[in-house]
Amino acid sequence: MKKLLLAALVLSVFAASCGKKSSQDNNSPDGDKKEETKEQTKSTEQTVNQDSINAVKEQSANKEKMVKWALEDSKIVDDPNGQFAIEAEASSTYAPEGSDNTSPYSPGMAAGKPNVEVYSDDGRSWVSKEADRGIEWLKLTFAKPVNATEVRVRQNIGPGAIIKVELIDTEGKSHIVYEGVDKTKYEPVMIQWFIAKFEKTAYKTKAVKLTLSTNLVDGWNEIDAVQLIGE
């Protein structure tokens, strides 16, 4: 009988010991750390997946934006009622002293059709001698005098500095058709058109003079081409 009682006691102590160990394992710091690490890993994976999704969406949106811009740019350039300048002169130029009108950054670079492909500093456009200096001007002459309705300026970097647009008629008289601070909300790092619309002129326009306040926009304000609309 004593042997049976002793055996029962031993089994009871062993069972209690095993139960205690199991309880300690479940509530041990290592167990908590494993659960915490698992949650952190899951959270990190979710963040990475969301970042990837956002990146794909942004890339898709940028592509759509570029396609839209290309279509609009092409429509403007190919406008049957538009013409680009054949000659140009300016208040100053970044081109080296003594350069002709075919030199990079000279006024002549603003004549002709657009040829700057992307938003950038490009020698195929006109730019003033200094950045942020203040008032500068660019005058463009067109082959065919027209009753004008619109002037479009293709800005390949630093848009927003144009403060005045003047039309010059066949007698040399100047007519202001736009004056003020440009409040256009331009898309960042994209070639932008400044557009001035007005009532059809009773006189024939042969030239356009743009006045820029270069200190309005930090850095250089480059113009690739200028288009006159009219019949």
Side-chain angles (χ1 to χ4, degrees):
M1 185 67 176
K2 287 183 179 178
K3 289 182 178 180
L4 289 174
L5 290 173
L6 181 60
L9 180 61
V10 170
L11 288 173
S12 176
V13 171
F14 179 74
S17 175
C18 288
K20 182 178 181 181
K21 187 176 186 304
S22 176
S23 176
Q24 287 175 340
D25 287 344
N26 290 336
N27 297 313
S28 68
D30 288 342
D32 291 342
K33 287 181 180 178
K34 288 179 181 178
E35 288 299 320
E36 184 178 344
T37 302
K38 187 186 293 184
E39 288 299 319
Q40 288 176 342
T41 301
K42 184 178 180 182
S43 177
T44 301
E45 289 175 349
Q46 289 175 340
T47 301
V48 170
N49 289 338
Q50 188 59 50
D51 288 345
S52 298
I53 292 171
N54 291 340
V56 170
K57 287 182 178 179
E58 183 177 354
Q59 187 178 36
S60 178
N62 287 337
K63 286 182 179 179
E64 290 179 2
K65 187 184 296 184
M66 291 302 294
V67 169
K68 182 181 178 181
W69 173 86
L71 291 172
E72 291 177 349
D73 187 68
S74 179
K75 184 178 179 181
I76 291 174
V77 173
D78 297 332
D79 191 329
N81 292 321
Q83 59 177 318
F84 290 96
I86 57 171
E87 295 179 0
E89 58 182 295
S91 54
S92 72
T93 174
Y94 189 74
E97 189 173 346
S99 300
D100 60 23
N101 239 6
T102 62
S103 299
Y105 300 114
S106 68
M109 294 295 100
K113 286 189 173 184
N115 55 1
V116 178
E117 297 86 3
V118 297
Y119 183 91
S120 63
D121 169 24
D122 196 304
R124 292 173 295 176
S125 60
W126 167 78
V127 69
S128 57
K129 185 176 182 179
E130 299 177 34
D132 309 323
R133 179 175 176 271
I135 302 300
E136 300 280 358
W137 56 264
L138 175 66
K139 181 181 176 183
L140 306 110
T141 302
F142 298 83
K144 179 185 176 182
V146 294
N147 299 104
T149 58
E150 197 171 337
V151 171
R152 300 166 178 169
V153 184
R154 199 171 190 263
Q155 307 163 100
N156 56 288
I157 198 169
I162 297 171
I163 60 169
K164 184 163 63 175
V165 178
E166 297 172 77
L167 305 182
I168 299 171
D169 62 28
T170 52
E171 295 181 357
K173 185 178 179 181
S174 177
H175 308 262
I176 298 174
V177 291
Y178 170 86
E179 192 168 23
V181 175
D182 183 6
K183 296 181 180 179
T184 305
K185 292 183 179 180
Y186 294 112
E187 289 284 347
V189 297
M190 292 184 71
I191 290 178
Q192 306 286 306
W193 288 89
F194 167 86
I195 297 178
K197 295 182 179 182
F198 38 85
E199 293 294 325
K200 187 175 182 179
T201 62
Y203 52 85
K204 295 285 187 179
T205 298
K206 69 172 184 178
V208 172
K209 183 179 180 181
L210 307 174
T211 300
L212 292 78
S213 183
T214 60
N215 57 322
L216 281 177
V217 180
D218 291 340
W220 303 103
N221 316 113
E222 299 181 14
I223 293 177
D224 176 33
V226 177
Q227 185 185 49
L228 177 65
I229 306 297
E231 298 176 342

